[in-house]
């Protein structure tokens, strides 16, 4: 999974014509940290509070990616990208919400927390991927320039929608990888 994210980060840095070799590593470190934080959010014992924490975490990850790359743009564009990316994963989010509600059932806390950790991790990774894909597409179209304020929201939503299946595949692979890597943690 990290290969896909690493390759996407490399493509983004290249498309933006950034000469700093450390930017890809900074992106990878930030995305990995946010994915682990997302998994940890699944452990929050209060039903649906984990879903709120996941949403905030993904939002913060986008802000951090922007900061690493020196990107500045209005919140409404960022909200459009975030909401479109999360809409692609609506099935995962609905499932997360339902699993989260199981925490309120006696004996359901542990099972729900374990299931949510992998799902949240996957949502975070796939959200990072689609976000960087959009930035890469824009940078390639504009000779390395990333002024997202000039891109119509409709165009951003179209880019996200066109990558819906790949984003879902990345989420599925990330969840599988997380489960394999943490099978002994249960």
């Amino acid at each position: 999974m990290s290969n896909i994210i690493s390759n996407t980060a490399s493509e983004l840095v290249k498309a933006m014509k950034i000469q700093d070799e450390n930017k890809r590593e900074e992106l990878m470190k930030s995305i990995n940290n946010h994915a682990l934080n997302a998994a940890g959010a699944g452990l929050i014992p209060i039903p649906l509070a984990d879903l709120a924490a996941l949403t905030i975490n993904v939002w913060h990850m986008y802000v951090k990616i922007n900061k690493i790359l020196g990107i500045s743009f209005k919140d409404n564009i960022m909200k459009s990208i975030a909401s479109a990316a999360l809409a692609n994963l609506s099935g995962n989010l609905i499932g997360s919400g339902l699993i989260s509600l199981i925490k309120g059932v006696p004996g359901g806390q542990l099972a729900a927390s374990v299931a949510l950790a992998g799902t949240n991790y996957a949502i975070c990774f796939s959200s990072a991927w689609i976000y960087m894909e959009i930035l890469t597409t824009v940078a390639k179209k504009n000779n390395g320039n990333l002024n997202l304020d000039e891109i119509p929201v409709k165009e951003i939503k179209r880019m996200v929608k066109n990558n819906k299946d790949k984003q879902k595949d990345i989420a599925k692979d990330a969840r599988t990888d997380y489960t394999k890597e943490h099978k002994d943690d249960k």
Side-chain angles (χ1 to χ4, degrees), residues 59 66 72-80 147-149:
W59 179 267
N66 291 350
S72 172
F73 59 86
K74 297 175 188 167
D75 281 347
N76 65 330
I77 297 295
M78 191 168 170
K79 287 177 186 173
S80 295
N147 187 351
L148 293 175
D149 291 334

Side-chain angles (χ1 to χ4, degrees), residues 117-144:
T119 301
N120 289 357
Y121 182 87
I123 289 170
C124 191
F125 253 116
S126 62
S127 295
W129 174 81
I130 191 66
Y131 188 66
M132 289 191 299
E133 277 291 306
I134 291 169
L135 296 179
T136 301
T137 300
V138 172
K140 284 179 178 177
K141 285 182 179 179
N142 296 306
N143 198 28

Side-chain angles (χ1 to χ4, degrees), residues 11 25-26 40 60 80 100 114 116 128-130 150 179 186:
E11 282 294 314
E25 283 78 21
E26 284 181 61
H60 184 264
S80 295
S100 181
V114 169
L116 282 173
W129 174 81
I130 191 66
E150 295 177 10
T179 302
K186 297 175 183 174

Side-chain angles (χ1 to χ4, degrees), residues 11 16 20 22 36 40 42 45 78 85 95 105-107 119 121 131 151 159-160 172 183:
E11 282 294 314
M16 290 182 67
D20 187 346
N22 296 320
L36 291 172
M78 191 168 170
V105 176
T119 301
Y121 182 87
Y131 188 66
I151 298 173
M159 283 189 263
V160 173
K172 183 180 175 185
K183 67 181 175 193

Side-chain angles (χ1 to χ4, degrees), residues 22-174:
N22 296 320
K23 291 298 182 188
R24 187 192 66 78
E25 283 78 21
E26 284 181 61
L27 288 168
M28 288 300 300
K29 183 178 179 183
S30 180
I31 292 165
N32 283 321
N33 287 340
H34 281 88
L36 291 172
N37 288 342
L43 302 175
I44 296 173
I46 302 164
L48 301 179
D50 46 13
L51 199 55
L54 170 65
T55 304
I56 291 167
N57 183 60
V58 169
W59 179 267
H60 184 264
M61 178 180 64
Y62 290 158
V63 170
K64 185 69 175 177
I65 289 170
N66 291 350
K67 187 174 181 181
I68 290 168
L69 297 172
I71 300 169
S72 172
F73 59 86
K74 297 175 188 167
D75 281 347
N76 65 330
I77 297 295
M78 191 168 170
K79 287 177 186 173
S80 295
I81 294 171
S83 64
L86 291 174
N88 274 358
L89 298 169
S90 59
N92 288 17
L93 289 171
I94 291 168
S96 291
L98 293 174
I99 293 169
S100 181
L101 290 173
I102 293 171
K103 290 180 179 182
V105 176
Q109 174 104 26
L110 180 61
S113 294
V114 169
L116 282 173
T119 301
N120 289 357
Y121 182 87
I123 289 170
C124 191
F125 253 116
S126 62
S127 295
W129 174 81
I130 191 66
Y131 188 66
M132 289 191 299
E133 277 291 306
I134 291 169
L135 296 179
T136 301
T137 300
V138 172
K140 284 179 178 177
K141 285 182 179 179
N142 296 306
N143 198 28
N145 185 20
L146 264 180
N147 187 351
L148 293 175
D149 291 334
E150 295 177 10
I151 298 173
V153 171
K154 190 184 274 187
E155 173 71 8
I156 290 170
K157 288 182 179 182
R158 186 193 57 73
M159 283 189 263
V160 173
K161 186 177 180 180
N162 288 345
N163 284 293
K164 183 178 184 175
D165 291 338
K166 185 159 184 185
Q167 187 182 9
K168 285 182 178 182
D169 289 343
I170 288 170
K172 183 180 175 185
D173 291 345

